[in-house]
Amino acid sequence: RGDRDGVGVDWLRAEALASTQTDTAAAALVACGLADIAGGDAVQGARMLAQRAALPGVHRGYLEMLPAAVRAALAIGDSTLAERLLGDVESLVPLVAHARASGLALLAEARGEREAAAAGFADAAQRWHDFGVPYEEGHALLGQGRCLVALGRAPAAAGPLAAAREIFARLGARPALEETEAALAGERLEG
């Protein structure tokens, strides 16, 4: 929601680094990384995400945060870290398959493969919708809209971007809503 107050990042970081439970450590490292990056400390955030990526195997507590972790790594310009975060994830259960679909679409977009990314985001949005996770559905719709605008198909981007805006407004997800508003403004300029 863009509100970092009261998150307890320092306490969470200490718990993550001291934990002997890999599921707990994995989730806490990602949460710290996301909070650090959102707070403007990309170096510390990348360090936390890299520590998660270095943990062997896949950990349940981390999987629901996988798309956010990949988005954060790409936001700080570290596509190698994004690939490492996604690299060991197998599609064993629906949540994992949906998170992987979002992550693969994000990586395709980062590589400039806009057509594949737009299709991947559309698939991920439908998966998240059917699974009942509106926040990730909104991000997938936003990604689809960004790619369609970049492909010069602004009229086709209007629907996904408007749907993303509605979701983020309903959830009070300010940073994502602001990003969607910016994409909508770009779509209007292109269209």
Side-chain angles (χ1 to χ4, degrees):
R1 295 178 54 128
D3 184 5
R4 204 168 169 249
D5 295 338
V7 172
V9 176
D10 293 333
W11 171 83
L12 188 58
R13 186 181 337 279
E15 290 296 310
L17 298 174
S19 179
T20 58
Q21 300 292 321
T22 53
D23 281 349
T24 301
L29 287 168
V30 172
C32 289
L34 296 175
D36 289 333
I37 290 168
D41 191 347
V43 173
Q44 180 66 17
R47 187 176 301 124
M48 294 290 100
L49 292 177
Q51 285 183 320
R52 161 44 206 123
L55 289 175
V58 177
H59 305 287
R60 290 182 306 270
Y62 156 69
L63 293 172
E64 63 248 12
M65 294 188 287
L66 176 62
V70 172
R71 281 192 298 271
L74 292 171
I76 61 173
D78 196 337
S79 60
T80 302
L81 177 57
E83 289 174 12
R84 286 179 47 217
L85 288 164
L86 188 61
D88 61 356
V89 175
E90 297 292 329
S91 299
L92 302 174
V93 295
L95 171 64
V96 180
H98 307 334
R100 184 165 174 72
S102 287
L104 291 173
L106 286 160
L107 290 175
E109 181 184 22
R111 289 189 299 265
E113 300 166 4
R114 303 274 192 252
E115 198 69 53
F121 282 127
D123 173 55
Q126 188 61 56
R127 288 169 175 265
W128 290 119
H129 176 80
D130 293 345
F131 204 61
V133 182
Y135 184 73
E136 288 303 332
E137 177 189 359
H139 272 288
L141 290 165
L142 172 57
Q144 180 186 12
R146 277 192 314 261
C147 290
L148 291 171
V149 168
L151 288 166
R153 298 183 359 220
L161 291 173
R165 177 179 54 197
E166 186 279 322
I167 289 169
F168 294 137
R170 180 170 34 97
L171 296 176
R174 285 189 322 263
L177 181 59
E178 290 168 6
E179 184 179 352
T180 305
E181 292 290 347
L184 276 163
E187 176 264 329
R188 287 185 200 111
L189 293 174
E190 297 286 326

